[in-house]
Amino acid sequence: MKTECEKLSNYPENLRVRLQKNRFVCEVEVLAETDSTNRIAKELAVSGAPEGTLVVAQKQSNGRGRLGRSFFSPEGGIYMSMVLRPVIAAEKALLITTCGAVAVARAIEKLGGGEAGIKWVNDIFINGKKVCGILAEAGFSGTSECPDYVVLGIGINVKKQSVPEELKDIVGCLEDIPQCRILNEELIAAVWEEFAELYQNLSTAVYMEEYKRRSILLGREVTVLAAGGNYRAVVTDIDKDGHLVIERDGKESFLSSGEVSVRLREKRGE
Ligand code: BTN
């Protein structure tokens, strides 16, 4: 029987073998360490890499998060970025993030990781803690309304000991989940298997119903953190393009992910 170390040392090769069966992934670059897989995938996209090109790293020194934040990426987690060339209008680009979120949630559940919820727009929560963040970055060329490429970056926290003390109440990891023994390469392959299926329906976004079902914000009171100041609102819906629909002082508005962050307020009595 193989030891844990032997399994890890075979990780890149195991991953390649698993991804060979995937109809969507056409090229895989596996790195022990990099600054950011999104940065590398963007470079590849600009130099003409086809849709389905995947970059995976076992550690990042400068992992990027949404709204210019950094994404803590210690050894042993899953950090990966996919080059996509979707034929969609720029204002629909949020659908790529929602598609990725549903794929990750499905893959974790299928492999026994428990019920996965989605916090709009890009976070996967298990047992009340964030285990995964997603960052889609688009590049444009010429005057086309369509992005030239979109890089979909997914970061999944795996190792328990790597979550810093000050983040332990909000950041979770797969190793926290009782009975969860998912191999990284198994989960990576499962995510892109699910994604391949959902991505076929990107323009109709039929998976938005599932996204809404998994939402941990729908019907809840939230604090919206916006550049002009924070305010309270109630989440009433997520529309077909992935915008968060909120009600504030009797007025409805639609939030797009580039502008705001949303923090869940505790339920009264919790
Ligand atoms: C967030 O939580 O705000 C999004 C985090 C996205 C992190 C992933 S890790 C792989 C890819 N490379 C990056 O630099 N960022 C994304």
Side-chain angles (χ1 to χ4, degrees):
M1 194 156 100
K2 286 192 169 166
T3 66
E4 206 54 39
C5 286
E6 279 170 321
K7 275 193 219 154
L8 273 180
S9 64
N10 284 335
Y11 172 72
E13 205 33 56
N14 284 343
L15 180 60
R16 274 177 215 289
V17 171
R18 282 171 195 268
L19 288 173
Q20 256 162 20
K21 296 181 212 132
N22 186 296
R23 58 206 140 112
F24 187 74
V25 179
C26 64
E27 278 298 325
V28 193
E29 184 158 342
V30 187
L31 306 163
E33 182 176 353
T34 182
D35 55 343
S36 157
T37 55
N38 262 32
R39 186 194 62 77
I40 302 211
K42 280 166 88 171
E43 256 181 36
L44 292 171
V46 169
S47 48
E51 175 162 271
T53 303
L54 178 65
V55 182
V56 182
Q58 287 159 294
K59 185 179 178 182
Q60 293 184 126
S61 55
N62 192 20
R64 306 206 290 233
R66 214 164 65 84
L67 304 174
R69 298 179 189 134
S70 61
F71 186 78
F72 182 57
S73 314
E75 179 131 30
I78 295 174
Y79 315 106
M80 55 186 176
S81 303
M82 174 69 83
V83 175
L84 301 170
R85 303 219 181 249
V87 186
I88 51 164
E91 63 270 18
K92 298 248 178 194
L94 206 52
L95 290 177
I96 308 263
T97 308
T98 55
C99 183
V102 174
V104 174
R106 280 188 184 183
I108 292 178
E109 277 185 9
K110 279 202 174 151
L111 296 175
E115 209 175 303
I118 300 174
K119 177 171 171 280
W120 183 88
V121 57
N122 63 330
D123 294 337
I124 305 296
F125 271 62
I126 294 182
N127 299 334
K129 291 186 183 174
K130 171 172 170 172
V131 297
C132 165
I134 298 173
L135 176 68
E137 297 184 275
F140 293 83
S141 62
T143 52
S144 169
E145 302 241 308
C146 267
D148 182 33
Y149 66 84
V150 175
V151 161
L152 178 65
I154 298 177
I156 303 176
N157 307 324
V158 175
K159 299 263 171 228
K160 208 183 187 98
Q161 69 273 24
S162 60
V163 178
E165 203 50 47
E166 67 276 17
L167 295 178
K168 283 209 162 122
D169 286 344
I170 39 175
V171 175
C173 59
L174 296 183
E175 282 187 354
D176 270 344
I177 303 164
Q179 319 298 326
C180 176
R181 295 283 169 274
I182 304 178
L183 286 177
N184 284 12
E185 59 268 40
E186 194 181 15
L187 181 54
I188 295 168
V191 166
W192 298 114
E193 205 51 61
E194 296 296 335
F195 185 82
E197 190 200 318
L198 296 165
Y199 187 65
Q200 285 176 346
N201 299 313
L202 190 70
S203 54
T204 55
V206 281
Y207 55 82
M208 280 311 288
E209 279 312 309
E210 181 173 342
Y211 184 92
K212 280 165 63 167
R213 230 178 17 252
R214 291 181 181 276
S215 170
I216 61 169
L217 294 187
L218 262 182
R220 300 285 305 266
E221 195 174 59
V222 294
T223 303
V224 178
L225 313 173
N230 303 348
Y231 58 88
R232 287 184 191 192
V234 173
V235 175
T236 55
D237 199 5
I238 296 166
D239 76 6
K240 61 175 184 11
D241 294 334
H243 300 113
L244 194 71
V245 187
I246 55 162
E247 195 178 298
R248 180 195 182 196
D249 302 331
K251 282 197 203 113
E252 187 174 72
S253 38
F254 296 74
L255 301 183
S256 169
S257 72
E259 314 146 6
V260 291
S261 206
V262 174
R263 192 187 296 148
L264 193 54
R265 295 181 63 82
E266 295 295 288
K267 276 186 189 150
R268 272 177 216 104
E270 261 180 14

